[in-house]
Amino acid sequence: MPDTDIELGQSMSKAKLEHPYVESSEPESFYRDVKPTKGMMHHGSPDTASWVYVVLDEKDVSTRESSNDGPSTRPIIPPRTQKPRTRRSTDGLESKDAKQEYLNLKKEYEDSRQEVRIAWRENREQSLELRDLKKQNAHLKESIRTQADPKSYKDQILSERRKFYEHLDMLEDHIGHLKHQLEKTKLHMDQLTFQTREANEEKAAYEAKLQSLQKQNARLNEDLTECRDDILRLQPPSQIPDSKIAEEYSSLYQQIASWVDDEAEESQSMETRLAELATDKDAPELLKAYLDPDLIRLTKRYSEAEPLILRYIIQLHVHRVILAGDIYLFGLDEHTIDMLRSIEHAMEALEPKRDTLTIQRWRSETLQALAKLDGFQTEQQRQATTVSKDLWNALIYLLPELAADGESGWKRLHETVTNPAVQLATNMRFSTSCYRIIAHIPRNSSLGPGHANNNIIYHPDIQRYTILDVATQKVLRQESVLKIAEDGRIGELVMVVQPLLLRMQRDSHGGIVLCKPIVAVKLDEPMAKRAKGVRALGALSSWFGGEQEPVRS
């Protein structure tokens, strides 16, 4: 270790002894790394180091300054005169003097720290200057050494010249290669120019041809549109066949019968409810509108007629709110219906006058387009749900047992009866044909003047209607053993269980029977038994041939 560092350590130890109140916070390694300056010691960064002031001899200062390679331009900071302090007894000092002494020491400490920070920054700058001077010195030494050896200097010049000529040859070769590439590029550009000119000429010819073809295509599209319009005018619109309408109609009433058989099979309170219907103020108005006193008295005499009463109520309500002929399309609002009917009336006043078939075709296509709209489907389903709930609440009055089913009960009625009825009504309106549902019994004048009463059932009616004996719920057939009066009367009409379905003819007031009505009849005399027995339910002949399934009782 240099003598200066030894003396520095001794001075630090002496400073510690003289100033016991100023303790250093740095480890011992700090004191080994401290570089002495004239009058002060510092280490590392001036922001983190602790500082200790020592007094160095002039000899030490001169030795430190002469160790640098060049003269130092750093200002010499005179050392502070350290006043020896001795530990005072706190018993003999007043608190004011002690505080003042502490403030003085703190101020001296801050001043010394600032001075050391300045000295540290200057020392750093001088170190950088010294490094640059050393590099310059090394370059100068190398230059002097090269100039001192002429042979080596000459060899270096020859080597550099040889490298220069080699690089020059390489550049000349590269220039020749670039000239060759330029010639090839020019030739290629001439070829591309010629090809582009030809392509532009061909493009102009094709564009002229394309314009001609586009004009021709436009004329052909116009002709095609006219041909399509002519074909559409000549072809009838897609028609829903009568067989599908008849099948959906029969299926609807079979599902009504199935629902009644499943839900009212074990009902014990319907007879009592029917008896209280006329006097009960809480009874649903729907039942009061559909059931007359004759039907109520019928159930007192024939308890087997209760399922027929339920079927009659359901079919009558479905017919009035969904299938009635005055309903334009179930699910449409009144404003839209009024607008469509106004359009139809306006079409009838056009010149040339539109016939009925043209208007029916327009109505069919318009309604099919409306049915595709999400808003219509939502409204139609909302109205169907309302119909199901109203009917369900009315039936609960007659069958209190249904209330236990809750929401699932009316949903079953909705899926079994209401939805098929809505689908049937929609298909009937989509068709260009006009269908009519007749809930009463039409009379044929050929039966004679005595047959004007619609409530009387005659024996020839067995061929025209499907007749059920209300007492036994058996289907009457031609071979049934019946007591026939002189005028052909066999009984009295009680109710229409399934109305008559007709497709009306355009050129006449008549219609074609698609589904025969099913009526319940109270026979004047009970039906006698045959020797071989009579089946309770016979096969029903439909309008298009074949046999229908037996009517459910």
Side-chain angles (χ1 to χ4, degrees):
M1 179 182 295
D3 297 339
T4 305
D5 295 341
I6 295 174
E7 293 174 1
L8 174 62
Q10 295 174 355
S11 301
M12 290 180 178
S13 300
K14 183 179 178 180
K16 283 189 175 183
L17 292 175
E18 291 179 351
H19 304 283
Y21 292 102
V22 183
E23 294 290 339
S24 173
S25 61
E26 299 296 335
E28 292 182 0
S29 60
F30 166 79
Y31 301 103
R32 292 195 299 268
D33 298 334
V34 171
K35 303 301 180 181
T37 61
K38 193 173 183 179
M40 60 187 70
M41 303 298 113
H42 64 88
H43 168 262
S45 172
D47 296 330
T48 59
S50 298
W51 305 89
V52 179
Y53 291 89
V54 295
V55 179
L56 301 179
D57 296 336
E58 294 297 333
K59 180 180 177 181
D60 297 333
V61 175
S62 61
T63 304
R64 182 63 178 175
E65 291 176 352
S66 63
S67 62
N68 296 328
D69 293 337
S72 174
T73 60
R74 182 179 59 185
I76 299 176
I77 302 174
R80 290 181 179 273
T81 303
Q82 301 295 329
K83 296 180 181 181
R85 299 184 180 87
T86 58
R87 183 184 303 271
R88 300 179 184 180
S89 174
T90 56
D91 298 336
L93 294 178
E94 297 179 359
S95 60
K96 183 176 182 181
D97 295 338
K99 183 176 181 181
Q100 184 62 36
E101 183 180 359
Y102 169 75
L103 293 175
N104 293 337
L105 289 174
K106 184 176 180 181
K107 184 175 183 304
E108 291 175 3
Y109 172 77
E110 294 295 335
D111 294 341
S112 301
R113 183 171 179 174
Q114 182 66 23
E115 293 172 359
V116 170
R117 187 181 292 109
I118 295 172
W120 181 85
R121 190 181 298 112
E122 292 173 355
N123 187 30
R124 175 64 177 170
E125 293 175 355
Q126 291 177 3
S127 298
L128 295 175
E129 291 176 2
L130 179 60
R131 185 185 61 183
D132 295 338
L133 290 174
K134 286 182 178 181
K135 289 182 179 179
Q136 294 177 8
N137 188 26
H139 287 302
L140 290 174
K141 287 181 180 180
E142 180 66 23
S143 177
I144 292 171
R145 187 184 62 78
T146 304
Q147 293 177 3
D149 189 359
K151 183 179 180 180
S152 175
Y153 181 70
K154 185 178 180 180
D155 293 340
Q156 184 179 2
I157 292 176
L158 292 175
S159 176
E160 293 293 335
R161 183 183 297 173
R162 184 169 52 255
K163 291 180 181 179
F164 173 75
Y165 284 129
E166 290 177 356
H167 184 65
L168 183 60
D169 294 338
M170 184 182 64
L171 290 177
E172 290 178 351
D173 294 340
H174 184 64
I175 290 171
H177 176 71
L178 291 177
K179 289 181 178 180
H180 179 66
Q181 291 293 333
L182 180 60
E183 292 177 356
K184 290 176 62 177
T185 303
K186 288 182 178 180
L187 180 60
H188 185 61
M189 286 296 296
D190 293 339
Q191 293 177 354
L192 290 178
T193 302
F194 178 73
Q195 294 177 0
T196 304
R197 188 182 299 110
E198 290 182 345
N200 289 333
E201 293 175 356
E202 293 179 357
K203 178 183 177 182
Y206 283 128
E207 287 179 349
K209 186 177 181 179
L210 177 62
Q211 292 178 357
S212 175
L213 292 176
Q214 287 176 345
K215 293 179 180 179
Q216 183 179 358
N217 187 35
R219 290 193 299 269
L220 292 176
N221 284 333
E222 293 176 358
D223 295 341
L224 180 61
T225 302
E226 292 179 0
C227 292
R228 287 176 178 174
D229 294 340
D230 293 340
I231 293 175
L232 290 175
R233 282 191 291 268
L234 294 175
Q235 288 183 345
S238 66
Q239 175 66 28
I240 299 177
D242 292 340
S243 59
K244 182 177 181 179
I245 299 296
E247 181 181 355
E248 290 182 356
Y249 185 83
S250 299
S251 175
L252 170 62
Y253 286 94
Q254 288 174 8
Q255 287 178 269
I256 293 175
S258 298
W259 186 89
V260 170
D261 292 344
D262 295 339
E263 301 294 339
E265 183 177 2
E266 299 179 358
S267 176
Q268 303 295 333
S269 58
M270 183 173 173
E271 182 178 352
T272 304
R273 291 286 189 173
L274 287 173
E276 299 173 352
L277 182 63
T279 58
D280 189 358
K281 296 181 179 179
D282 297 331
E285 295 297 330
L286 184 148
L287 296 179
K288 293 180 179 180
Y290 295 159
L291 296 178
D292 55 30
D294 293 338
L295 290 177
I296 296 175
R297 285 193 297 268
L298 182 68
T299 57
K300 295 181 180 180
R301 182 176 180 182
Y302 303 106
S303 60
E304 297 82 358
E306 291 179 357
L308 295 178
I309 295 291
L310 292 175
R311 291 172 60 180
Y312 171 75
I313 294 172
I314 295 174
Q315 68 87 10
L316 191 58
H317 185 67
V318 168
H319 174 259
R320 288 187 178 182
V321 300
I322 299 177
L323 299 173
D326 58 348
I327 299 177
Y328 197 87
L329 177 62
F330 182 80
L332 280 183
D333 58 276
E334 293 297 330
H335 175 72
T336 304
I337 293 175
D338 293 341
M339 180 182 66
L340 294 177
R341 283 176 173 166
S342 299
I343 294 175
E344 290 185 13
H345 294 324
M347 291 176 66
E348 293 176 354
L350 292 176
E351 294 295 338
K353 189 175 182 179
R354 269 60 172 176
D355 57 3
T356 303
L357 180 59
T358 301
I359 297 176
Q360 289 176 346
R361 287 177 178 177
W362 175 87
R363 181 194 306 130
S364 173
E365 294 177 356
T366 303
L367 293 181
Q368 291 182 48
L370 286 174
K372 298 292 184 181
L373 300 178
D374 295 337
F376 169 78
Q377 296 175 5
T378 302
E379 177 63 19
Q380 187 182 62
Q381 197 56 230
R382 186 192 67 79
Q383 294 184 18
T385 302
T386 302
V387 171
S388 299
K389 290 182 178 180
D390 292 343
L391 183 58
W392 174 256
N393 293 330
L395 295 176
I396 287 179
Y397 180 83
L398 297 178
L399 304 173
E401 300 86 358
L402 298 179
D405 295 339
E407 185 176 355
S408 61
W410 74 262
K411 286 186 176 180
R412 271 199 314 275
L413 179 66
H414 183 77
E415 295 296 330
T416 305
V417 177
T418 309
N419 275 345
V422 171
Q423 183 63 40
L424 172 62
T426 303
N427 288 337
M428 290 171 65
R429 299 301 180 267
F430 285 171
S431 175
T432 57
S433 300
C434 180
Y435 298 97
R436 185 179 178 187
I437 298 175
I438 302 177
H440 62 274
I441 299 298
R443 286 302 175 186
N444 192 342
S445 59
S446 62
L447 294 178
H451 295 171
N453 190 349
N454 287 343
N455 291 331
I456 304 302
I457 298 298
Y458 301 93
H459 190 268
D461 292 335
I462 296 178
Q463 296 179 346
R464 304 174 61 222
Y465 316 134
T466 299
I467 301 177
L468 296 175
D469 180 14
V470 71
T472 61
Q473 296 194 28
K474 294 180 179 180
V475 178
L476 302 186
R477 304 170 64 86
Q478 286 288 342
E479 60 270 18
S480 298
V481 180
L482 300 171
K483 181 179 180 180
I484 305 174
E486 294 180 359
D487 58 353
R489 169 176 172 159
I490 59 176
E492 184 179 357
L493 174 68
V494 176
M495 72 184 76
V496 178
V497 180
Q498 174 179 314
L500 171 68
L501 176 63
L502 296 177
R503 177 172 66 80
M504 306 306 295
Q505 297 179 347
R506 295 188 180 92
D507 300 333
S508 63
H509 298 289
I512 299 175
V513 177
L514 299 184
C515 287
K516 295 191 299 184
I518 300 177
V519 298
V521 176
K522 182 177 67 173
L523 297 177
D524 294 336
E525 295 291 337
M527 184 170 50
K529 295 183 178 180
R530 296 179 59 188
K532 296 183 180 180
V534 179
R535 289 181 298 173
L537 299 178
L540 306 179
S541 299
S542 64
W543 67 277
F544 48 85
E547 292 184 345
Q548 294 181 343
E549 294 182 6
V551 177
R552 300 175 65 91
S553 59

